[in-house]
Amino acid sequence: RVILVILFFGIYLGCTDSPREQSSFTYKATPAVQEDESSKPEIAPIQETNPITVMIGPAVFTVQVAENHLSRAKGLSGQLGLPDNHGMLFIFESPSIQTFWMKDMLFPIDIVWISDTCLVDSITPDIPIPLGSLETDELPKYQSNNPVKYVLEITQGQTEIRDIKAGDPVSFQGVFKIPIDC
């Protein structure tokens, strides 16, 4: 059985207990640009025993949860992509300005920054994969405009397709290991 390695390596830079070691793996291949939907690879849905969903208006996403330092550091790193109705939810202990980078990212995403009051604070759309072998300190950084407690990463373009915008209410369903306020 093939286990997908979680792809998007969103790393929370403000964490004081972050490891000081850097991964020796650097993605060096330049991915091919795909022109149409028919050439997209089939991406398997997330198989969770405890499915977690994030609802933003009528949009519903099944998500993997990153609720501790290790899972937040790994993020979606190495994963080939996500189905359009899937994502990764990052949960932080308290609201703060969150900063992410895209180390070892293999597909483009949108980031939805969610406040502790369960509203979309802002959106950073169309985040590209880093090309070439950038050193960690050369990677672009993406930051919330305001303190947020939750961050949702979804496939590029889904915020526009699903008409997700700042101020939209957000709710979560499922069983979480840490308290969720929404």
Side-chain angles (χ1 to χ4, degrees), residues 20-86:
R20 300 296 177 214
E21 299 175 9
Q22 294 180 4
S23 170
S24 61
F25 174 77
T26 303
Y27 180 72
K28 296 184 186 216
T30 302
V33 175
Q34 297 177 356
E35 298 297 324
D36 60 46
E37 294 294 314
S38 65
S39 64
K40 274 182 138 177
E42 183 73 23
I43 305 296
I46 298 167
Q47 300 298 320
E48 293 280 340
T49 56
N50 171 24
I52 304 291
T53 56
V54 176
M55 283 97 26
I56 306 173
V60 178
F61 299 94
T62 301
V63 297
Q64 298 167 330
V65 178
E67 58 198 354
N68 60 45
H69 175 70
L70 291 176
S71 61
R72 287 191 297 259
K74 189 168 187 175
L76 295 170
S77 177
Q79 194 164 305
L80 296 177
L82 289 172
D84 291 343
N85 62 340
H86 285 68

Side-chain angles (χ1 to χ4, degrees), residues 11 13 21 38 44 48 54 56 62 73 91 100 143 145 147 151-152:
I11 291 191
L13 297 178
E21 299 175 9
S38 65
E48 293 280 340
V54 176
I56 306 173
T62 301
I91 302 173
F100 285 70
Q143 190 171 60
N145 295 334
V151 178
L152 176 66

Side-chain angles (χ1 to χ4, degrees), residues 24-179:
S24 61
F25 174 77
T26 303
Y27 180 72
K28 296 184 186 216
T30 302
V33 175
Q34 297 177 356
E35 298 297 324
D36 60 46
E37 294 294 314
S38 65
S39 64
K40 274 182 138 177
E42 183 73 23
I43 305 296
I46 298 167
Q47 300 298 320
E48 293 280 340
T49 56
N50 171 24
I52 304 291
T53 56
V54 176
M55 283 97 26
I56 306 173
V60 178
F61 299 94
T62 301
V63 297
Q64 298 167 330
V65 178
E67 58 198 354
N68 60 45
H69 175 70
L70 291 176
S71 61
R72 287 191 297 259
K74 189 168 187 175
L76 295 170
S77 177
Q79 194 164 305
L80 296 177
L82 289 172
D84 291 343
N85 62 340
H86 285 68
M88 176 162 270
L89 177 65
F90 294 78
I91 302 173
F92 298 92
E93 289 74 22
S94 60
S96 61
I97 299 292
Q98 303 298 337
T99 303
F100 285 70
W101 61 17
M102 304 297 122
K103 182 158 177 48
D104 300 329
M105 176 65 139
L106 300 178
F107 65 99
I109 62 165
D110 291 347
I111 294 180
V112 181
W113 309 95
I114 304 167
S115 72
D116 63 331
T117 60
C118 307
L119 297 173
V120 173
D121 179 75
S122 60
I123 296 166
T124 305
D126 305 319
I127 296 175
I129 60 172
L131 298 177
S133 59
L134 294 176
E135 294 297 321
T136 302
D137 61 345
E138 296 172 338
L139 291 167
K141 313 255 182 322
Y142 302 93
Q143 190 171 60
S144 61
N145 295 334
N146 298 298
V148 296
K149 187 170 180 184
Y150 312 99
V151 178
L152 176 66
E153 296 177 344
I154 54 178
T155 303
Q156 177 188 32
Q158 289 303 301
T159 55
E160 182 177 352
I161 291 167
R162 296 168 186 259
D163 196 30
I164 296 170
K165 55 195 171 307
D168 284 350
V170 180
S171 61
F172 306 114
Q173 284 188 331
V175 178
F176 294 88
K177 293 178 184 171
I178 60 174

